[in-house]
Amino acid sequence: MALLEVKNLVKKFDDKDVLKGINVELSEGQSKVVMGGSGCGKSTMLRCLNLLIQPTSGEIIFKGEDITRPGVDVRKLRQDIGFVFQHFALYRHLTVQDNVTLGLRKLKKMSAKDAAEKALYELERVDMVEHRHKYPAQLSGGQKQRVAIVRALAMDPAVLFLDEPTSALDPQMTREVVTVINKLFMDNITMLCVTHDPFLAKYISDSIVFLDKGVVVAEDIAERLFYDHPDPRVRQFFLSVIDHR
Ligand SMILES: Nc1ncnc2c1ncn2[C@@H]1O[C@H](COP(=O)(O)OP(=O)(O)O)[C@@H](O)[C@H]1O
Ligand SMILES: [Mg+2]
């Protein structure tokens, strides 16, 4: 059974149809990337899936339960879905280590000592232990994003969502973050990642879901999606984002 199964997901804002019946499945240990032109509904989809916004209709089966039904424990759900944003969203007044331990202490009720130990273990994974006493303002964009990823992972979520995790970064910092996410991919962390970047998409995904105007028009591995895809909407998009020289 899939960990996450999205069936016919529709989202309207007033009378504007943004998602027009999305179907996606994600199994435990699987990593999928969502691509598609600006404004096609990628962020809206992720935000529906953890109920940051309310879907208009459709089913979202997460761990066997339809989370669009009334009475769902949203707090518990959000603990099970880690979320990494384009602009890091770190707490500016907290050190790297305290950014990571906050959720562990407040939500998971860990002792300060256990939380600190867990934070060190997680920071080690992204090579940030030596920076643990710094504040976000003292870090590069790539380092901030690595901390944001670790902060989400430390909560041991069932799945990690990432929305354009490298879009705010220069090429050097992007490589740094791609390396880290690729490591998670190799460790079979379950992920759903929205990106424009074909380089990131290719190195962190089992398959890529291509959205156009609120529907999934293709799902395939990078090699088959990027080059000479039969669907003209897919071809057009990748001609514009991939350097074909
Ligand atoms: N809260 C909102 N209210 C009204 N329209 C919205 C809202 N959020 C997103 N939209 C619209 O939905 C469409 C898809 O947005 P989004 O999911 O952010 O696209 P993407 O992430 O693929 O670039 C856009 O046209 C956007 O303007
Ligand atoms: Mg977006």
Side-chain angles (χ1 to χ4, degrees), residues 16-233:
K16 184 174 178 188
D17 291 356
V18 174
L19 303 179
K20 300 173 194 163
I22 300 275
N23 294 286
V24 175
E25 272 189 36
L26 187 69
S27 305
E28 206 178 311
Q30 202 176 30
S31 172
K32 288 193 181 180
V33 158
V34 180
M35 298 185 86
S38 188
C40 73
K42 303 178 298 294
S43 297
T44 301
M45 180 180 108
L46 283 190
R47 290 153 57 84
C48 280
L49 298 185
N50 79 342
L51 303 180
L52 272 174
I53 52 177
Q54 195 59 37
T56 305
S57 64
E59 287 172 40
I60 303 169
I61 319 288
F62 181 64
K63 291 182 161 178
E65 185 192 5
D66 185 356
I67 58 167
T68 63
R69 299 250 171 102
V72 168
D73 185 344
V74 176
R75 254 175 77 103
K76 188 162 150 267
L77 175 76
R78 302 243 176 89
Q79 279 191 42
D80 234 358
I81 300 181
F83 214 128
V84 172
F85 302 92
Q86 182 178 347
H87 290 290
F88 331 122
L90 295 177
Y91 302 109
R92 276 180 299 172
H93 62 289
L94 295 180
T95 63
V96 164
Q97 178 164 324
D98 291 345
N99 262 280
V100 180
T101 56
L102 185 70
L104 296 173
R105 289 173 45 231
K106 298 282 183 244
L107 300 171
K108 293 230 186 251
K109 311 289 180 207
M110 274 190 185
S111 70
K113 181 168 167 287
D114 288 352
E117 228 164 70
K118 171 90 169 154
L120 279 183
Y121 169 79
E122 297 291 345
L123 286 166
E124 180 78 53
R125 280 169 90 143
V126 295
D127 221 7
M128 285 295 292
V129 171
E130 61 179 304
H131 302 293
R132 67 187 181 279
H133 299 306
K134 291 186 180 166
Y135 287 87
Q138 298 169 285
L139 304 176
S140 73
Q143 290 172 331
K144 280 185 222 178
Q145 195 56 302
R146 278 147 61 193
V147 174
I149 290 170
V150 151
R151 181 179 58 177
L153 278 183
M155 299 295 285
D156 292 323
V159 56
L160 185 64
F161 288 176
L162 305 104
D163 194 354
E164 311 248 14
T166 59
S167 301
L169 304 176
D170 70 23
Q172 163 61 29
M173 296 191 292
T174 294
R175 269 195 298 278
E176 229 174 88
V177 171
V178 172
T179 303
V180 163
I181 304 175
N182 174 257
K183 214 157 115 190
L184 307 181
F185 172 61
M186 293 302 184
D187 286 344
N188 296 315
I189 300 287
T190 314
M191 292 189 278
L192 192 58
C193 175
V194 168
T195 183
H196 276 117
D197 180 356
F199 172 72
L200 173 65
K202 184 173 166 175
Y203 287 105
I204 65 158
S205 69
D206 294 304
S207 80
I208 300 171
V209 175
F210 184 80
L211 279 191
D212 185 58
K213 299 194 179 76
V215 289
V216 176
V217 298
E219 178 170 349
D220 215 326
I221 57 168
E223 287 74 8
R224 282 204 294 267
L225 205 65
F226 289 0
Y227 309 102
D228 267 335
H229 194 273
D231 190 307
R233 293 166 292 187

